[in-house]
Amino acid sequence: MNNPTLLKNLRVIPDFPIPGIQFQDISTLFNNPECLHIMRDEVVDIYKDKGITKVVGLESRGFLLGPVVASELNAGFVMARKPGKLPGNVISYDYTKEYGTDTICMISDSIGENDVVLIHDDLLATGGSMRAAYELVKKFNPKKIYISFIIELTIEGLHGRDIFADTDAEISTLMVV
């Protein structure tokens, strides 16, 4: 965790998208081959012995590393998307955000009861989107759920990990800033 190369290459953009926000830009990590290999290897190393059978990536930045990790773990990849973006039968979960409500959806037969699931996204801030994804995955009744992030924000009083205190999900992050 907190690999010096990743931390060195993480770009912080002040006052984006609004004044006062210090945006953690992961694009610099993905366009650097060394950083991309480090992220892949570190996530795979954490989960290689956990029996992961499905990796769920949250739209859209969970789609960047999620399929790579799934391939390395010999697991399937499942997309968690906004309404209207997936074909066929879907199940959904509605959740409240600080500025309204949102919905997350998955194809209804994408996870089974024998699956061990890793849910992946780029950033843990307040945790609302990931908690919704966790609740949606729970509807499939898998054997176990793990949660993975590239970055966990603890700056500015953010403690997104706390939203999972009442769950049995194991959470990992590659960097804490």
Side-chain angles (χ1 to χ4, degrees):
M1 184 165 69
N2 284 338
N3 181 291
T5 302
L6 296 180
L7 289 170
K8 181 179 78 172
N9 284 279
L10 179 65
R11 179 171 48 193
V12 178
I13 301 175
D15 299 320
F16 181 82
I18 59 172
I21 300 294
Q22 299 295 309
F23 185 79
Q24 307 294 310
D25 181 17
I26 63 168
S27 68
T28 52
L29 301 177
F30 281 94
N31 70 24
N32 179 317
E34 181 182 13
C35 291
L36 187 55
H37 289 185
I38 290 168
M39 290 186 297
R40 177 202 61 206
D41 293 348
E42 287 190 2
V43 174
V44 168
D45 191 54
I46 293 167
Y47 295 102
K48 66 184 176 190
D49 297 322
K50 304 285 188 189
I52 304 297
T53 58
K54 298 285 173 69
V55 175
V56 174
L58 274 64
E59 184 174 359
S60 64
R61 291 180 288 198
F63 294 0
L64 299 174
L65 192 59
V68 173
V69 170
S71 177
E72 292 291 319
L73 294 175
N74 198 32
F77 181 73
V78 178
M79 294 177 281
R81 301 207 64 189
K82 295 177 181 169
K85 302 284 186 173
L86 294 169
N89 294 325
V90 298
I91 63 169
S92 61
Y93 184 83
D94 298 323
Y95 63 104
T96 303
K97 301 192 313 187
E98 56 275 9
Y99 47 86
T101 60
D102 211 343
T103 303
I104 192 166
C105 305
M106 293 171 55
I107 294 176
S108 61
D109 62 353
S110 57
I111 297 174
E113 292 182 354
N114 290 320
D115 282 318
V116 176
V117 179
L118 170 61
I119 312 172
H120 174 76
D121 203 6
D122 66 326
L123 181 77
L124 173 59
T126 64
S129 297
M130 182 58 83
R131 179 62 192 243
Y134 171 83
E135 295 298 336
L136 181 57
V137 169
K138 274 183 55 176
K139 288 184 175 187
F140 291 96
N141 197 29
K143 286 183 180 178
K144 177 74 177 164
I145 301 172
Y146 296 92
I147 297 174
S148 168
F149 298 96
I150 296 171
I151 301 170
E152 179 177 357
L153 291 181
T154 58
I155 56 176
E156 302 167 11
L158 295 174
H159 301 285
R161 189 179 286 260
D162 295 348
I163 199 169
F164 299 98
D166 64 335
T167 74
D168 63 351
E170 294 180 29
I171 301 170
S172 71
T173 59
L174 299 185
M175 293 179 280
V176 177
V177 294

